[in-house]
């Protein structure tokens, strides 16, 4: 007896969180991932399920192919995007082992941004194999390639991700200390404190999408970034503004979240930390990319 004997809706719901994690890592968009899941559900309802062996591999292939079709058009849209395009962030208070086991390896905003440089096939091979331990045979079937070709795609993607990313700290305690120091200095408008925690070659990325004011291009260097952050703090955190900041897990790493007076999230800040200093920041303030957050 296979697990397909359960009711179709139960079989899909049991895999939904996993499938959503796959789709998000492939697309970098919560909104697009939800659209993919909706289409996958419609296709699941229409299929002759007596011909399906195992549910998870089958649905993973369906979601992968839908994402593959979307990635090409998404790249075209992002090329015409106003300013820097950053992924939609995931914000959570939960980073437990159970959470990671259910949703795969966490992927930082920095890595998702680097993954934008990959071809759709490279991204699929890398995400499925490296983050979800899917075999190359299954990946090959989803892409219409041979297993050897899928292995080569993953290897090439892995190399490009490594070369395109900045070396980061794997020690959560060191990451937390740097982010906490950044937040404390920001709230105080303490430029000296910011300079102490920012790497001299820090890079600040921000995404306002033309809806909210944000730098159109990346800002380089601790001096420029510290002045920018102090200026933003003076504007946002004035007495009576109702704006506040707090900590949260942003794509599996400690980050900072700003809240408007209404309680709505107005900005999400994710950081890359190396040798105790922040080397990169990814800031999403485009409200369209924060609408999914509560």
């Amino acid at each position: 007896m296979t697990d397909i004997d359960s009711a179709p809706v139960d079989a899909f719901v049991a895999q939904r969180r996993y499938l959503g994690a796959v789709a998000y890592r492939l697309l970098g968009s919560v909104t697009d991932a939800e659209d993919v899941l909706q289409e996958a559900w419609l296709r699941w309802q229409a299929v002759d399920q007596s011909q399906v062996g195992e549910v998870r591999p089958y649905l993973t292939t369906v979601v992968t192919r839908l994402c593959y079709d979307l990635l090409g058009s998404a790249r075209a849209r992002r090329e015409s995007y106003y300013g820097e395009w950053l992924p939609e962030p995931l914000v959570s208070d939960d980073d437990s082992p159970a959470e990671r086991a259910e949703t795969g390896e966490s992927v930082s905003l920095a890595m998702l941004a680097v993954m934008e440089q990959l071809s759709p096939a490279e991204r699929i091979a890398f995400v499925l194999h490296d983050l979800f331990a899917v075999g190359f045979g299954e990946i090959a079937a989803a892409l219409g390639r041979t297993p050897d070709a899928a292995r080569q795609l993953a290897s090439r993607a892995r190399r490009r991700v490594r070369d395109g990313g900045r070396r980061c700290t794997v020690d959560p305690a060191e990451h937390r200390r740097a982010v906490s120091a950044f937040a404390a200095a920001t709230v105080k408008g303490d430029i000296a404190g910011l300079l102490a925690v920012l790497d001299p070659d820090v890079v600040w990325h921000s995404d306002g999408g033309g809806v909210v004011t944000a730098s159109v291009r990346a800002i380089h260097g601790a001096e420029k970034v510290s002045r920018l952050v102090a200026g933003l703090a003076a504007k946002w955190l004035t007495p009576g503004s109702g704006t506040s900041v707090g900590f949260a897990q942003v794509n599996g790493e400690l980050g900072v979240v700003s809240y408007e007076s209404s309680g709505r999230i107005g900005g999400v800040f994710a950081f890359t930390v190396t040798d105790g200093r922040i080397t990169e920041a990814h800031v999403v303030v485009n409200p369209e990319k924060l609408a999914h957050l509560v």
Side-chain angles (χ1 to χ4, degrees):
M1 182 180 295
T2 67
D3 56 356
I4 197 62
D5 293 328
S6 61
V9 62
D10 292 338
F12 188 88
V13 169
Q15 304 298 329
R16 194 182 191 285
R17 196 171 188 193
Y18 162 80
L19 295 171
V22 170
Y24 170 73
R25 285 155 179 77
L26 289 176
L27 300 172
S29 166
V30 176
T31 305
D32 288 346
E34 287 294 330
D35 290 343
V36 162
L37 290 188
Q38 179 63 26
E39 180 61 27
W41 164 242
L42 295 175
R43 296 191 182 194
W44 175 244
Q45 288 180 300
V47 74
D48 180 2
Q49 293 167 20
S50 66
Q51 302 301 309
V52 176
E54 296 181 77
V55 174
R56 175 169 286 197
Y58 179 86
L59 287 175
T60 300
T61 298
V62 171
V63 166
T64 297
R65 289 174 175 168
L66 290 169
C67 289
Y68 185 74
D69 292 339
L70 266 182
L71 281 168
S73 58
R75 174 171 290 188
R77 293 198 310 270
R78 291 164 190 177
E79 286 176 353
S80 61
Y81 190 79
Y82 183 85
E84 285 197 86
W85 185 94
L86 296 181
E88 293 177 12
L90 296 178
V91 175
S92 171
D93 293 327
D94 187 5
D95 189 37
S96 65
E99 169 85 4
R100 293 193 296 273
E102 189 171 1
T103 59
E105 292 295 325
S106 296
V107 182
S108 66
L109 286 189
M111 179 179 283
L112 283 172
V114 170
M115 284 164 55
E116 286 297 308
Q117 303 170 14
L118 304 178
S119 71
E122 288 173 339
R123 184 163 184 165
I124 285 170
F126 174 77
V127 167
L128 291 184
H129 182 265
D130 285 38
L131 304 184
F132 292 94
V134 175
F136 288 119
E138 190 176 332
I139 295 170
L143 290 174
R145 312 283 181 97
T146 66
D148 281 345
R151 183 178 290 103
Q152 291 172 9
L153 285 168
S155 177
R156 188 161 63 240
R158 195 178 303 117
R159 185 168 56 251
R160 294 181 66 183
V161 167
R162 182 183 63 242
D163 294 344
R166 307 192 72 181
R167 186 170 61 88
C168 61
T169 299
V170 295
D171 180 9
E174 187 173 334
H175 183 95
R176 177 177 292 274
R177 283 193 295 271
V179 173
S180 298
F182 173 88
T186 298
V187 170
K188 298 175 184 176
D190 178 7
I191 289 183
L194 288 168
L195 288 173
V197 74
L198 294 174
D199 185 87
D201 297 319
V202 63
V203 182
W204 180 275
H205 306 272
S206 54
D207 180 346
V211 181
V212 174
T213 301
S215 302
V216 176
R217 298 179 181 84
I219 297 175
H220 298 257
E223 288 283 352
K224 291 181 179 179
V225 171
S226 62
R227 290 197 299 269
L228 170 69
V229 172
L232 291 175
K235 178 180 179 181
W236 289 353
L237 301 177
T238 55
S241 66
T243 303
S244 60
V245 296
F247 297 106
Q249 292 292 323
V250 179
N251 287 61
E253 298 178 331
L254 185 69
V256 174
V257 177
S258 68
Y259 300 90
E260 299 180 350
S261 57
S262 62
R264 187 180 70 86
I265 291 178
V268 174
F269 301 71
F271 304 93
T272 301
V273 175
T274 304
D275 296 331
R277 287 189 165 189
I278 292 171
T279 56
E280 202 167 16
H282 290 80
V283 182
V284 181
V285 291
N286 183 348
E288 296 174 0
K289 292 190 174 183
L290 303 176
H292 65 282
L293 300 177
V294 178

